[in-house]
């Protein structure tokens, strides 16, 4: 069962493998609009991040006892990232790139907690099919592919190899589209074709609209669920939608939170959702856990859970 406040039970007994990006985040929270050509005061922090790595950390925080992460980093920051992942309860398998530095993202967070990213993919874009082995799925019940894999040719090769291996073993695969801008650059049809065979898509509302061409988030979720068995569309402060077999089957209520930084909220949702699914929750129940994690995530800077985050801390529904 899913771990509940005051409980401590761990569910599932099967592993979660995340394949995706490990990033060094430079988070700059500015309270006034950016002043072009001069200075703007900001609170700036250097934090571990990356959509894939963040989701893995939140899955561990949400009660999944066996979370693994495959990613590629530069030699410059391997030790720091490996230590932070282990501290979060994730078993990292980090491939070291001797030519490219670790991916870096500058996250500009305004007074409304909205974030804008400047992204240097670095080593994360160079994860290749040669870094993949079907043996990575030993003991794994779910495979999650970060959408950032699909925005480089080597990454698409890795995602394809991992997806094929998972399908051969009957392991459910989820994909987070990750970025409207990068999906537009790649092309919607190429992205959808590359993710054929996934069991679950986890887009936000803007990504769902882009992938379907439909303005209504509910209609977009329903349309996506005709391509994959389950489509879960996050709506930010409005909660989430779950769609299966071509129709919306659940509208999940949001969890109130005082937002400081929206960086990583979607990753938190993804990690908690997957942990809950591995623990036996159905998609609507798992989406409820995702909303709880997303609400916890926006109350702190950066995309990772703190020691105080997660069900054990008693975040209210």
């Amino acid at each position: 069962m899913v771990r509940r406040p005051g409980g401590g039970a761990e569910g599932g007994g099967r592993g979660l493998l995340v394949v995706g990006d490990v990033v060094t985040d430079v988070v700059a929270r500015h309270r006034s609009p950016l002043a072009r050509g001069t200075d703007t005061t900001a609170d700036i922090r250097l934090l571990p991040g990356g959509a894939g790595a963040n989701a893995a950390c939140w899955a561990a925080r949400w009660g999944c006892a066996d979370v693994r992460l495959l990613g590629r980093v530069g030699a410059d920051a391997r030790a720091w990232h490996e230590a932070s992942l282990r501290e979060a309860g994730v078993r990292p398998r980090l491939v070291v790139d001797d030519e490219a530095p670790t991916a870096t993202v500058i996250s500009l967070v305004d007074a409304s907690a909205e974030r804008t990213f400047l992204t240097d993919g670095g080593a994360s874009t160079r994860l290749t099919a040669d870094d993949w082995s079907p043996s990575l799925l030993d003991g794994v019940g779910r495979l999650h592919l970060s959408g950032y894999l699909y925005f480089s040719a080597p990454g698409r090769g890795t995602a394809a190899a991992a997806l094929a291996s998972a399908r051969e073993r009957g392991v459910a695969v989820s994909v987070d589209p990750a970025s409207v801008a990068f999906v537009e650059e790649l092309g919607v049809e190429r992205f959808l074709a590359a993710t054929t065979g996934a069991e679950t898509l986890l887009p936000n509302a803007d990504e769902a609209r882009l992938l379907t061409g439909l303005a209504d988030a509910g209609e977009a979720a329903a349309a996506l669920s005709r391509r994959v068995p389950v489509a879960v569309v996050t709506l930010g402060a409005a909660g989430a939608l779950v769609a299966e077999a071509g129709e919306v089957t659940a509208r999940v209520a949001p969890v109130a939170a005082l937002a400081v930084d929206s960086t990583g909220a979607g990753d938190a949702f993804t990690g908690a959702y997957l942990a809950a699914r591995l623990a036996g929750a159905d998609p609507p129940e798992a989406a409820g856990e995702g909303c709880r994690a997303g609400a916890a995530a926006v109350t702190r800077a950066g995309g990772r859970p703190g020691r105080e985050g997660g069900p054990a801390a008693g975040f209210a529904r």
Side-chain angles (χ1 to χ4, degrees), residues 51 54-55 58 113-115 117 176 204 234 236-237 259 261-273 289-300 302-304:
N54 291 345
W58 281 99
E114 183 58 85
R115 80 287 188 276
F117 294 151
D176 169 13
N204 64 28
T234 57
D261 177 5
S262 60
T263 303
D267 306 332
F269 182 99
T270 293
Y273 176 89
E289 295 297 320
C291 286
R292 293 179 62 211
V298 300
T299 65
R300 56 183 295 107
R304 299 281 178 89

PDB file of all heavy atoms in Angstrom, residues 51 54-55 58 113-115 117 176 204 234 236-237 259 261-273 289-300 302-304:
ATOM      1  N   ALA A  51      15.027  16.512 -14.614  1.00  0.00           N
ATOM      2  CA  ALA A  51      13.679  15.940 -14.533  1.00  0.00           C
ATOM      3  C   ALA A  51      13.704  14.473 -14.121  1.00  0.00           C
ATOM      4  O   ALA A  51      12.936  14.032 -13.260  1.00  0.00           O
ATOM      5  CB  ALA A  51      12.958  16.111 -15.869  1.00  0.00           C
ATOM      6  N   ASN A  54      15.104  14.191 -10.478  1.00  0.00           N
ATOM      7  CA  ASN A  54      14.111  14.695  -9.520  1.00  0.00           C
ATOM      8  C   ASN A  54      12.984  13.680  -9.310  1.00  0.00           C
ATOM      9  O   ASN A  54      12.568  13.411  -8.177  1.00  0.00           O
ATOM     10  CB  ASN A  54      13.511  16.009 -10.008  1.00  0.00           C
ATOM     11  CG  ASN A  54      14.492  17.159  -9.986  1.00  0.00           C
ATOM     12  OD1 ASN A  54      15.551  17.081  -9.364  1.00  0.00           O
ATOM     13  ND2 ASN A  54      14.141  18.232 -10.668  1.00  0.00           N
ATOM     14  N   ALA A  55      12.467  13.142 -10.405  1.00  0.00           N
ATOM     15  CA  ALA A  55      11.370  12.175 -10.298  1.00  0.00           C
ATOM     16  C   ALA A  55      11.799  10.958  -9.492  1.00  0.00           C
ATOM     17  O   ALA A  55      11.035  10.438  -8.666  1.00  0.00           O
ATOM     18  CB  ALA A  55      10.892  11.760 -11.683  1.00  0.00           C
ATOM     19  N   TRP A  58      11.817  11.876  -5.781  1.00  0.00           N
ATOM     20  CA  TRP A  58      10.470  11.973  -5.215  1.00  0.00           C
ATOM     21  C   TRP A  58       9.829  10.595  -5.081  1.00  0.00           C
ATOM     22  O   TRP A  58       9.074  10.341  -4.142  1.00  0.00           O
ATOM     23  CB  TRP A  58       9.604  12.904  -6.052  1.00  0.00           C
ATOM     24  CG  TRP A  58       9.870  14.344  -5.770  1.00  0.00           C
ATOM     25  CD1 TRP A  58      10.647  15.205  -6.486  1.00  0.00           C
ATOM     26  CD2 TRP A  58       9.368  15.102  -4.661  1.00  0.00           C
ATOM     27  NE1 TRP A  58      10.662  16.446  -5.894  1.00  0.00           N
ATOM     28  CE2 TRP A  58       9.884  16.416  -4.772  1.00  0.00           C
ATOM     29  CE3 TRP A  58       8.536  14.799  -3.586  1.00  0.00           C
ATOM     30  CZ2 TRP A  58       9.589  17.425  -3.850  1.00  0.00           C
ATOM     31  CZ3 TRP A  58       8.241  15.801  -2.664  1.00  0.00           C
ATOM     32  CH2 TRP A  58       8.761  17.094  -2.811  1.00  0.00           C
ATOM     33  N   ALA A 113       6.299  32.557  -8.623  1.00  0.00           N
ATOM     34  CA  ALA A 113       6.851  31.198  -8.529  1.00  0.00           C
ATOM     35  C   ALA A 113       6.937  30.508  -9.883  1.00  0.00           C
ATOM     36  O   ALA A 113       7.313  29.334  -9.963  1.00  0.00           O
ATOM     37  CB  ALA A 113       6.076  30.323  -7.547  1.00  0.00           C
ATOM     38  N   GLU A 114       6.609  31.217 -10.971  1.00  0.00           N
ATOM     39  CA  GLU A 114       6.759  30.642 -12.305  1.00  0.00           C
ATOM     40  C   GLU A 114       8.238  30.618 -12.674  1.00  0.00           C
ATOM     41  O   GLU A 114       8.996  31.525 -12.363  1.00  0.00           O
ATOM     42  CB  GLU A 114       5.972  31.453 -13.334  1.00  0.00           C
ATOM     43  CG  GLU A 114       6.009  30.872 -14.742  1.00  0.00           C
ATOM     44  CD  GLU A 114       5.469  29.453 -14.794  1.00  0.00           C
ATOM     45  OE1 GLU A 114       4.238  29.297 -14.901  1.00  0.00           O
ATOM     46  OE2 GLU A 114       6.287  28.504 -14.712  1.00  0.00           O
ATOM     47  N   ARG A 115       8.649  29.543 -13.357  1.00  0.00           N
ATOM     48  CA  ARG A 115      10.055  29.403 -13.708  1.00  0.00           C
ATOM     49  C   ARG A 115      10.254  29.408 -15.218  1.00  0.00           C
ATOM     50  O   ARG A 115       9.407  28.924 -15.984  1.00  0.00           O
ATOM     51  CB  ARG A 115      10.661  28.163 -13.067  1.00  0.00           C
ATOM     52  CG  ARG A 115      10.390  26.830 -13.763  1.00  0.00           C
ATOM     53  CD  ARG A 115       8.995  26.322 -13.621  1.00  0.00           C
ATOM     54  NE  ARG A 115       8.813  24.991 -14.135  1.00  0.00           N
ATOM     55  CZ  ARG A 115       8.569  24.671 -15.396  1.00  0.00           C
ATOM     56  NH1 ARG A 115       8.550  25.609 -16.310  1.00  0.00           N
ATOM     57  NH2 ARG A 115       8.379  23.426 -15.768  1.00  0.00           N
ATOM     58  N   PHE A 117      13.434  28.409 -17.986  1.00  0.00           N
ATOM     59  CA  PHE A 117      14.693  27.674 -18.001  1.00  0.00           C
ATOM     60  C   PHE A 117      15.607  28.120 -19.143  1.00  0.00           C
ATOM     61  O   PHE A 117      15.151  28.341 -20.271  1.00  0.00           O
ATOM     62  CB  PHE A 117      14.439  26.173 -18.179  1.00  0.00           C
ATOM     63  CG  PHE A 117      13.723  25.528 -17.029  1.00  0.00           C
ATOM     64  CD1 PHE A 117      12.919  24.421 -17.259  1.00  0.00           C
ATOM     65  CD2 PHE A 117      13.858  25.990 -15.733  1.00  0.00           C
ATOM     66  CE1 PHE A 117      12.259  23.797 -16.216  1.00  0.00           C
ATOM     67  CE2 PHE A 117      13.208  25.377 -14.676  1.00  0.00           C
ATOM     68  CZ  PHE A 117      12.407  24.271 -14.920  1.00  0.00           C
ATOM     69  N   ASP A 176       7.352  11.175 -19.664  1.00  0.00           N
ATOM     70  CA  ASP A 176       6.999  12.566 -19.368  1.00  0.00           C
ATOM     71  C   ASP A 176       7.488  13.418 -20.543  1.00  0.00           C
ATOM     72  O   ASP A 176       8.694  13.493 -20.776  1.00  0.00           O
ATOM     73  CB  ASP A 176       7.690  12.983 -18.070  1.00  0.00           C
ATOM     74  CG  ASP A 176       7.619  14.479 -17.806  1.00  0.00           C
ATOM     75  OD1 ASP A 176       6.839  15.174 -18.477  1.00  0.00           O
ATOM     76  OD2 ASP A 176       8.353  14.944 -16.917  1.00  0.00           O
ATOM     77  N   ASN A 204       1.975  17.854 -18.896  1.00  0.00           N
ATOM     78  CA  ASN A 204       1.186  18.921 -18.284  1.00  0.00           C
ATOM     79  C   ASN A 204       0.161  19.392 -19.317  1.00  0.00           C
ATOM     80  O   ASN A 204       0.124  18.893 -20.457  1.00  0.00           O
ATOM     81  CB  ASN A 204       2.066  20.061 -17.765  1.00  0.00           C
ATOM     82  CG  ASN A 204       2.839  20.786 -18.861  1.00  0.00           C
ATOM     83  OD1 ASN A 204       2.412  20.843 -20.018  1.00  0.00           O
ATOM     84  ND2 ASN A 204       3.980  21.357 -18.505  1.00  0.00           N
ATOM     85  N   THR A 234      -1.341  16.868 -15.831  1.00  0.00           N
ATOM     86  CA  THR A 234      -1.274  17.742 -14.662  1.00  0.00           C
ATOM     87  C   THR A 234      -1.751  19.142 -15.032  1.00  0.00           C
ATOM     88  O   THR A 234      -1.469  19.645 -16.124  1.00  0.00           O
ATOM     89  CB  THR A 234       0.149  17.799 -14.097  1.00  0.00           C
ATOM     90  OG1 THR A 234       1.060  18.229 -15.111  1.00  0.00           O
ATOM     91  CG2 THR A 234       0.584  16.426 -13.598  1.00  0.00           C
ATOM     92  N   GLY A 236      -1.339  21.902 -12.795  1.00  0.00           N
ATOM     93  CA  GLY A 236      -0.770  22.856 -11.861  1.00  0.00           C
ATOM     94  C   GLY A 236      -1.641  22.996 -10.630  1.00  0.00           C
ATOM     95  O   GLY A 236      -2.023  22.004  -9.997  1.00  0.00           O
ATOM     96  N   ALA A 237      -1.986  24.230 -10.298  1.00  0.00           N
ATOM     97  CA  ALA A 237      -2.789  24.490  -9.096  1.00  0.00           C
ATOM     98  C   ALA A 237      -4.223  23.989  -9.213  1.00  0.00           C
ATOM     99  O   ALA A 237      -4.981  24.037  -8.239  1.00  0.00           O
ATOM    100  CB  ALA A 237      -2.794  25.989  -8.796  1.00  0.00           C
ATOM    101  N   ALA A 259       3.075  28.648  -2.873  1.00  0.00           N
ATOM    102  CA  ALA A 259       4.140  28.392  -3.845  1.00  0.00           C
ATOM    103  C   ALA A 259       5.309  29.357  -3.702  1.00  0.00           C
ATOM    104  O   ALA A 259       5.126  30.571  -3.622  1.00  0.00           O
ATOM    105  CB  ALA A 259       3.584  28.475  -5.263  1.00  0.00           C
ATOM    106  N   ASP A 261       8.485  28.170  -5.510  1.00  0.00           N
ATOM    107  CA  ASP A 261       9.229  27.859  -6.731  1.00  0.00           C
ATOM    108  C   ASP A 261       8.555  26.658  -7.376  1.00  0.00           C
ATOM    109  O   ASP A 261       8.455  25.593  -6.770  1.00  0.00           O
ATOM    110  CB  ASP A 261      10.688  27.558  -6.372  1.00  0.00           C
ATOM    111  CG  ASP A 261      11.536  27.158  -7.577  1.00  0.00           C
ATOM    112  OD1 ASP A 261      11.032  27.198  -8.711  1.00  0.00           O
ATOM    113  OD2 ASP A 261      12.714  26.806  -7.355  1.00  0.00           O
ATOM    114  N   SER A 262       8.079  26.813  -8.616  1.00  0.00           N
ATOM    115  CA  SER A 262       7.392  25.712  -9.290  1.00  0.00           C
ATOM    116  C   SER A 262       8.343  24.739  -9.976  1.00  0.00           C
ATOM    117  O   SER A 262       7.909  23.743 -10.558  1.00  0.00           O
ATOM    118  CB  SER A 262       6.396  26.263 -10.320  1.00  0.00           C
ATOM    119  OG  SER A 262       7.064  27.041 -11.298  1.00  0.00           O
ATOM    120  N   THR A 263       9.655  25.002  -9.894  1.00  0.00           N
ATOM    121  CA  THR A 263      10.635  24.096 -10.477  1.00  0.00           C
ATOM    122  C   THR A 263      10.461  22.694  -9.903  1.00  0.00           C
ATOM    123  O   THR A 263      10.475  22.499  -8.692  1.00  0.00           O
ATOM    124  CB  THR A 263      12.066  24.578 -10.179  1.00  0.00           C
ATOM    125  OG1 THR A 263      12.229  25.903 -10.683  1.00  0.00           O
ATOM    126  CG2 THR A 263      13.099  23.662 -10.823  1.00  0.00           C
ATOM    127  N   GLY A 264      10.311  21.721 -10.762  1.00  0.00           N
ATOM    128  CA  GLY A 264      10.254  20.336 -10.312  1.00  0.00           C
ATOM    129  C   GLY A 264       8.909  19.858  -9.814  1.00  0.00           C
ATOM    130  O   GLY A 264       8.786  18.695  -9.402  1.00  0.00           O
ATOM    131  N   ALA A 265       7.880  20.693  -9.857  1.00  0.00           N
ATOM    132  CA  ALA A 265       6.575  20.251  -9.373  1.00  0.00           C
ATOM    133  C   ALA A 265       6.059  19.069 -10.198  1.00  0.00           C
ATOM    134  O   ALA A 265       5.506  18.104  -9.652  1.00  0.00           O
ATOM    135  CB  ALA A 265       5.580  21.402  -9.405  1.00  0.00           C
ATOM    136  N   GLY A 266       6.228  19.142 -11.510  1.00  0.00           N
ATOM    137  CA  GLY A 266       5.803  18.037 -12.365  1.00  0.00           C
ATOM    138  C   GLY A 266       6.618  16.779 -12.116  1.00  0.00           C
ATOM    139  O   GLY A 266       6.089  15.661 -12.174  1.00  0.00           O
ATOM    140  N   ASP A 267       7.903  16.943 -11.831  1.00  0.00           N
ATOM    141  CA  ASP A 267       8.756  15.787 -11.524  1.00  0.00           C
ATOM    142  C   ASP A 267       8.303  15.132 -10.223  1.00  0.00           C
ATOM    143  O   ASP A 267       8.306  13.905 -10.099  1.00  0.00           O
ATOM    144  CB  ASP A 267      10.215  16.222 -11.388  1.00  0.00           C
ATOM    145  CG  ASP A 267      10.721  16.981 -12.600  1.00  0.00           C
ATOM    146  OD1 ASP A 267      10.206  16.748 -13.703  1.00  0.00           O
ATOM    147  OD2 ASP A 267      11.631  17.814 -12.432  1.00  0.00           O
ATOM    148  N   ALA A 268       7.934  15.971  -9.247  1.00  0.00           N
ATOM    149  CA  ALA A 268       7.440  15.448  -7.979  1.00  0.00           C
ATOM    150  C   ALA A 268       6.159  14.641  -8.206  1.00  0.00           C
ATOM    151  O   ALA A 268       5.986  13.545  -7.646  1.00  0.00           O
ATOM    152  CB  ALA A 268       7.187  16.589  -7.004  1.00  0.00           C
ATOM    153  N   PHE A 269       5.256  15.197  -9.013  1.00  0.00           N
ATOM    154  CA  PHE A 269       4.020  14.486  -9.349  1.00  0.00           C
ATOM    155  C   PHE A 269       4.360  13.125  -9.953  1.00  0.00           C
ATOM    156  O   PHE A 269       3.815  12.093  -9.538  1.00  0.00           O
ATOM    157  CB  PHE A 269       3.189  15.307 -10.326  1.00  0.00           C
ATOM    158  CG  PHE A 269       1.873  14.669 -10.689  1.00  0.00           C
ATOM    159  CD1 PHE A 269       0.700  15.063 -10.068  1.00  0.00           C
ATOM    160  CD2 PHE A 269       1.808  13.659 -11.649  1.00  0.00           C
ATOM    161  CE1 PHE A 269      -0.517  14.461 -10.389  1.00  0.00           C
ATOM    162  CE2 PHE A 269       0.606  13.050 -11.984  1.00  0.00           C
ATOM    163  CZ  PHE A 269      -0.559  13.453 -11.354  1.00  0.00           C
ATOM    164  N   THR A 270       5.253  13.127 -10.932  1.00  0.00           N
ATOM    165  CA  THR A 270       5.615  11.894 -11.617  1.00  0.00           C
ATOM    166  C   THR A 270       6.186  10.862 -10.647  1.00  0.00           C
ATOM    167  O   THR A 270       5.785   9.692 -10.651  1.00  0.00           O
ATOM    168  CB  THR A 270       6.641  12.186 -12.716  1.00  0.00           C
ATOM    169  OG1 THR A 270       6.018  12.981 -13.736  1.00  0.00           O
ATOM    170  CG2 THR A 270       7.180  10.909 -13.343  1.00  0.00           C
ATOM    171  N   GLY A 271       7.131  11.291  -9.808  1.00  0.00           N
ATOM    172  CA  GLY A 271       7.747  10.349  -8.888  1.00  0.00           C
ATOM    173  C   GLY A 271       6.761   9.741  -7.919  1.00  0.00           C
ATOM    174  O   GLY A 271       6.754   8.519  -7.687  1.00  0.00           O
ATOM    175  N   ALA A 272       5.901  10.574  -7.330  1.00  0.00           N
ATOM    176  CA  ALA A 272       4.916  10.068  -6.379  1.00  0.00           C
ATOM    177  C   ALA A 272       3.879   9.191  -7.075  1.00  0.00           C
ATOM    178  O   ALA A 272       3.445   8.166  -6.531  1.00  0.00           O
ATOM    179  CB  ALA A 272       4.240  11.229  -5.667  1.00  0.00           C
ATOM    180  N   TYR A 273       3.457   9.592  -8.271  1.00  0.00           N
ATOM    181  CA  TYR A 273       2.506   8.795  -9.040  1.00  0.00           C
ATOM    182  C   TYR A 273       3.057   7.392  -9.283  1.00  0.00           C
ATOM    183  O   TYR A 273       2.362   6.385  -9.061  1.00  0.00           O
ATOM    184  CB  TYR A 273       2.205   9.481 -10.378  1.00  0.00           C
ATOM    185  CG  TYR A 273       1.304   8.681 -11.289  1.00  0.00           C
ATOM    186  CD1 TYR A 273      -0.078   8.795 -11.225  1.00  0.00           C
ATOM    187  CD2 TYR A 273       1.844   7.781 -12.203  1.00  0.00           C
ATOM    188  CE1 TYR A 273      -0.907   8.039 -12.045  1.00  0.00           C
ATOM    189  CE2 TYR A 273       1.028   7.020 -13.034  1.00  0.00           C
ATOM    190  CZ  TYR A 273      -0.346   7.151 -12.953  1.00  0.00           C
ATOM    191  OH  TYR A 273      -1.162   6.384 -13.765  1.00  0.00           O
ATOM    192  N   GLU A 289      -1.797  11.096  -5.082  1.00  0.00           N
ATOM    193  CA  GLU A 289      -0.490  11.159  -4.430  1.00  0.00           C
ATOM    194  C   GLU A 289       0.432  12.119  -5.185  1.00  0.00           C
ATOM    195  O   GLU A 289       1.217  12.860  -4.576  1.00  0.00           O
ATOM    196  CB  GLU A 289       0.127   9.768  -4.364  1.00  0.00           C
ATOM    197  CG  GLU A 289      -0.623   8.786  -3.486  1.00  0.00           C
ATOM    198  CD  GLU A 289      -0.654   9.223  -2.028  1.00  0.00           C
ATOM    199  OE1 GLU A 289       0.370   9.730  -1.520  1.00  0.00           O
ATOM    200  OE2 GLU A 289      -1.712   9.058  -1.391  1.00  0.00           O
ATOM    201  N   GLY A 290       0.326  12.107  -6.513  1.00  0.00           N
ATOM    202  CA  GLY A 290       1.131  13.032  -7.307  1.00  0.00           C
ATOM    203  C   GLY A 290       0.828  14.479  -6.987  1.00  0.00           C
ATOM    204  O   GLY A 290       1.736  15.316  -6.885  1.00  0.00           O
ATOM    205  N   CYS A 291      -0.455  14.790  -6.807  1.00  0.00           N
ATOM    206  CA  CYS A 291      -0.834  16.162  -6.459  1.00  0.00           C
ATOM    207  C   CYS A 291      -0.290  16.557  -5.093  1.00  0.00           C
ATOM    208  O   CYS A 291       0.136  17.701  -4.879  1.00  0.00           O
ATOM    209  CB  CYS A 291      -2.358  16.313  -6.486  1.00  0.00           C
ATOM    210  SG  CYS A 291      -3.064  16.360  -8.154  1.00  0.00           S
ATOM    211  N   ARG A 292      -0.289  15.627  -4.153  1.00  0.00           N
ATOM    212  CA  ARG A 292       0.279  15.913  -2.841  1.00  0.00           C
ATOM    213  C   ARG A 292       1.765  16.226  -2.954  1.00  0.00           C
ATOM    214  O   ARG A 292       2.275  17.156  -2.327  1.00  0.00           O
ATOM    215  CB  ARG A 292       0.062  14.727  -1.905  1.00  0.00           C
ATOM    216  CG  ARG A 292      -1.386  14.465  -1.536  1.00  0.00           C
ATOM    217  CD  ARG A 292      -1.500  13.257  -0.614  1.00  0.00           C
ATOM    218  NE  ARG A 292      -0.794  13.508   0.629  1.00  0.00           N
ATOM    219  CZ  ARG A 292      -0.198  12.560   1.355  1.00  0.00           C
ATOM    220  NH1 ARG A 292      -0.198  11.304   0.932  1.00  0.00           N
ATOM    221  NH2 ARG A 292       0.393  12.859   2.492  1.00  0.00           N
ATOM    222  N   ALA A 293       2.486  15.439  -3.741  1.00  0.00           N
ATOM    223  CA  ALA A 293       3.921  15.663  -3.900  1.00  0.00           C
ATOM    224  C   ALA A 293       4.190  16.973  -4.623  1.00  0.00           C
ATOM    225  O   ALA A 293       5.112  17.722  -4.262  1.00  0.00           O
ATOM    226  CB  ALA A 293       4.552  14.500  -4.665  1.00  0.00           C
ATOM    227  N   GLY A 294       3.393  17.272  -5.654  1.00  0.00           N
ATOM    228  CA  GLY A 294       3.566  18.533  -6.372  1.00  0.00           C
ATOM    229  C   GLY A 294       3.361  19.722  -5.459  1.00  0.00           C
ATOM    230  O   GLY A 294       4.085  20.720  -5.533  1.00  0.00           O
ATOM    231  N   ALA A 295       2.371  19.623  -4.561  1.00  0.00           N
ATOM    232  CA  ALA A 295       2.122  20.704  -3.612  1.00  0.00           C
ATOM    233  C   ALA A 295       3.287  20.866  -2.649  1.00  0.00           C
ATOM    234  O   ALA A 295       3.673  21.989  -2.285  1.00  0.00           O
ATOM    235  CB  ALA A 295       0.841  20.434  -2.834  1.00  0.00           C
ATOM    236  N   ALA A 296       3.881  19.745  -2.238  1.00  0.00           N
ATOM    237  CA  ALA A 296       5.054  19.822  -1.363  1.00  0.00           C
ATOM    238  C   ALA A 296       6.234  20.451  -2.092  1.00  0.00           C
ATOM    239  O   ALA A 296       6.995  21.243  -1.526  1.00  0.00           O
ATOM    240  CB  ALA A 296       5.421  18.427  -0.857  1.00  0.00           C
ATOM    241  N   ALA A 297       6.375  20.117  -3.375  1.00  0.00           N
ATOM    242  CA  ALA A 297       7.527  20.584  -4.142  1.00  0.00           C
ATOM    243  C   ALA A 297       7.557  22.101  -4.299  1.00  0.00           C
ATOM    244  O   ALA A 297       8.627  22.712  -4.256  1.00  0.00           O
ATOM    245  CB  ALA A 297       7.540  19.929  -5.519  1.00  0.00           C
ATOM    246  N   VAL A 298       6.401  22.718  -4.504  1.00  0.00           N
ATOM    247  CA  VAL A 298       6.395  24.158  -4.788  1.00  0.00           C
ATOM    248  C   VAL A 298       6.667  25.005  -3.559  1.00  0.00           C
ATOM    249  O   VAL A 298       6.860  26.212  -3.661  1.00  0.00           O
ATOM    250  CB  VAL A 298       5.066  24.610  -5.437  1.00  0.00           C
ATOM    251  CG1 VAL A 298       4.830  23.871  -6.747  1.00  0.00           C
ATOM    252  CG2 VAL A 298       3.888  24.442  -4.482  1.00  0.00           C
ATOM    253  N   THR A 299       6.718  24.378  -2.389  1.00  0.00           N
ATOM    254  CA  THR A 299       6.959  25.142  -1.165  1.00  0.00           C
ATOM    255  C   THR A 299       8.436  25.338  -0.872  1.00  0.00           C
ATOM    256  O   THR A 299       8.795  25.975   0.119  1.00  0.00           O
ATOM    257  CB  THR A 299       6.307  24.458   0.054  1.00  0.00           C
ATOM    258  OG1 THR A 299       6.946  23.189   0.282  1.00  0.00           O
ATOM    259  CG2 THR A 299       4.820  24.270  -0.161  1.00  0.00           C
ATOM    260  N   ARG A 300       9.316  24.813  -1.735  1.00  0.00           N
ATOM    261  CA  ARG A 300      10.757  24.899  -1.504  1.00  0.00           C
ATOM    262  C   ARG A 300      11.474  25.212  -2.810  1.00  0.00           C
ATOM    263  O   ARG A 300      10.951  24.970  -3.906  1.00  0.00           O
ATOM    264  CB  ARG A 300      11.282  23.592  -0.910  1.00  0.00           C
ATOM    265  CG  ARG A 300      10.959  22.372  -1.758  1.00  0.00           C
ATOM    266  CD  ARG A 300      11.426  21.072  -1.100  1.00  0.00           C
ATOM    267  NE  ARG A 300      12.869  21.037  -0.990  1.00  0.00           N
ATOM    268  CZ  ARG A 300      13.554  21.186   0.153  1.00  0.00           C
ATOM    269  NH1 ARG A 300      12.900  21.365   1.284  1.00  0.00           N
ATOM    270  NH2 ARG A 300      14.857  21.142   0.173  1.00  0.00           N
ATOM    271  N   GLY A 302      14.090  24.747  -5.815  1.00  0.00           N
ATOM    272  CA  GLY A 302      14.665  23.603  -6.500  1.00  0.00           C
ATOM    273  C   GLY A 302      13.663  22.493  -6.699  1.00  0.00           C
ATOM    274  O   GLY A 302      12.500  22.580  -6.310  1.00  0.00           O
ATOM    275  N   GLY A 303      14.129  21.405  -7.341  1.00  0.00           N
ATOM    276  CA  GLY A 303      13.216  20.342  -7.737  1.00  0.00           C
ATOM    277  C   GLY A 303      13.255  19.092  -6.901  1.00  0.00           C
ATOM    278  O   GLY A 303      12.546  18.132  -7.197  1.00  0.00           O
ATOM    279  N   ARG A 304      14.061  19.054  -5.845  1.00  0.00           N
ATOM    280  CA  ARG A 304      14.192  17.837  -5.042  1.00  0.00           C
ATOM    281  C   ARG A 304      13.424  17.941  -3.726  1.00  0.00           C
ATOM    282  O   ARG A 304      13.246  19.036  -3.195  1.00  0.00           O
ATOM    283  CB  ARG A 304      15.671  17.583  -4.717  1.00  0.00           C
ATOM    284  CG  ARG A 304      16.571  17.372  -5.925  1.00  0.00           C
ATOM    285  CD  ARG A 304      16.459  15.977  -6.484  1.00  0.00           C
ATOM    286  NE  ARG A 304      17.286  15.822  -7.667  1.00  0.00           N
ATOM    287  CZ  ARG A 304      18.561  15.440  -7.639  1.00  0.00           C
ATOM    288  NH1 ARG A 304      19.157  15.213  -6.477  1.00  0.00           N
ATOM    289  NH2 ARG A 304      19.236  15.293  -8.754  1.00  0.00           N
TER     290      ARG A 304
END
